[in-house]
Amino acid sequence: MKEIIQHYLEKHGFEQLSPKAVLFDMDGVLYNSMPNHAVAWQQSMALFGITMSAHDAYATEGARGVDTIRMMVKQQQGRDIDEAEAQRMYDEKTRLFHQLPEAKVMDGIPELMAQIHADGLTIGVVTGSGQRPLINRLLTDFKGYLTEDRIVTAYDVKRGKPNPDPYLMGLQKCGGLNPWEAIVVENAPLGVKAGVAACIFTIAVNTGPLPDVELKDAGANLVFPSMPQLSDEWNSLKIR
């Protein structure tokens, strides 16, 4: 672990890793919601003549929905659509998503949140979603750990993941922190790339079907096979 931290510090020219906050992605990290998202993506995009597989849904997870749609339309139909048209398509995806059963809080997250809170660290959420019902659920499920002013949504940035902007905004919302004063917890390659691009120590937890190597290749400093394992090993990581 010491060598991993030292490599991170040398790569970015930082003197020390002194976390004051943990920035969580939402889907696939706090909630086991990605199976529902994959279904909603496939069904909604089919209505617009776009073929989207479950793998596509996982591979593009973390990006702003409108950005994913504009990319898929360009690739498959050769059209450049504006954000307004993409938003209308995304609204259909959102409608179908909310017809599916509510996703459960990810196993291991309540225990991990409690440990982080006990360590005196601030908790933030950085999501590519902008759906108000999901934000309200975050505030209910993680009351006592999370406040709305520490949530970054798709509407807080112009450039979503894999750009660093969402996590840079997360640093600002958690008190104007420096990159070496936070830890990112992600589950998707685009999210990992965003955390790394923001120069933040990034932990990937593989809660989906993608191989570990895709998360490692995206630049994750650590990769865990499950959220319960990260929770179990949190106190022994010595990164606080």
Side-chain angles (χ1 to χ4, degrees), residues 3-229:
E3 292 179 355
I4 293 173
I5 294 176
Q6 189 60 37
H7 176 72
Y8 161 79
L9 295 175
E10 290 176 356
K11 176 182 177 181
H12 298 292
F14 298 152
E15 292 185 3
Q16 61 182 348
L17 179 60
S18 305
K20 296 179 180 178
V22 178
L23 304 176
F24 287 95
D25 178 37
M26 182 175 69
D27 293 304
V29 172
L30 299 181
Y31 297 109
N32 188 19
S33 50
M34 278 309 297
N36 284 356
H37 278 292
V39 169
W41 271 120
Q42 291 175 87
Q43 292 181 350
S44 62
M45 291 304 100
L47 298 175
F48 300 99
I50 298 296
T51 300
M52 190 168 185
S53 67
H55 183 277
D56 291 332
Y58 279 92
T60 57
E61 179 193 351
R64 296 196 314 159
V66 291
D67 292 337
T68 296
I69 290 170
R70 294 176 77 176
M71 177 190 69
M72 299 292 285
V73 170
K74 179 66 173 179
Q75 287 179 348
Q76 295 188 26
Q77 298 181 349
R79 298 190 299 123
D80 289 310
I81 63 173
D82 60 22
E83 187 150 338
E85 182 176 351
Q87 183 64 55
R88 288 193 292 271
M89 296 168 70
Y90 185 65
D91 289 344
E92 179 62 19
K93 183 262 178 179
T94 299
R95 185 185 70 81
L96 292 173
F97 175 80
H98 285 293
Q99 289 182 349
L100 297 169
E102 186 174 72
K104 295 180 179 180
V105 172
M106 188 70 72
D107 289 344
I109 279 293
E111 295 81 2
L112 180 58
M113 284 273 194
Q115 292 180 79
I116 292 170
H117 183 69
D119 288 336
L121 302 181
T122 297
I123 293 173
V125 172
V126 178
T127 175
S129 174
Q131 301 176 37
R132 187 67 221 182
L134 296 181
I135 306 307
N136 290 339
R137 188 183 174 194
L138 282 172
L139 296 172
T140 298
D141 290 344
F142 303 109
K143 186 178 181 180
Y145 298 143
L146 181 66
T147 54
E148 186 163 0
D149 60 326
R150 292 172 183 160
I151 300 174
V152 178
T153 75
Y155 302 116
D156 288 313
V157 294
K158 291 184 178 180
R159 300 192 310 165
K161 304 172 186 179
N163 296 292
D165 307 38
Y167 280 109
L168 293 175
M169 179 63 72
L171 293 175
Q172 292 304 308
K173 287 200 171 194
C174 285
L177 302 179
N178 295 298
W180 62 86
E181 295 178 312
I183 296 169
V184 163
V185 180
E186 268 283 355
N187 72 307
L190 294 185
V192 169
K193 289 180 179 179
V196 172
C199 302
I200 304 172
F201 191 90
T202 300
I203 298 174
V205 184
N206 196 349
T207 61
L210 302 179
D212 285 355
V213 67
E214 291 199 30
L215 297 170
K216 191 65 178 176
D217 287 349
N221 299 103
L222 291 171
V223 179
F224 283 84
S226 71
M227 198 60 70
Q229 184 166 341

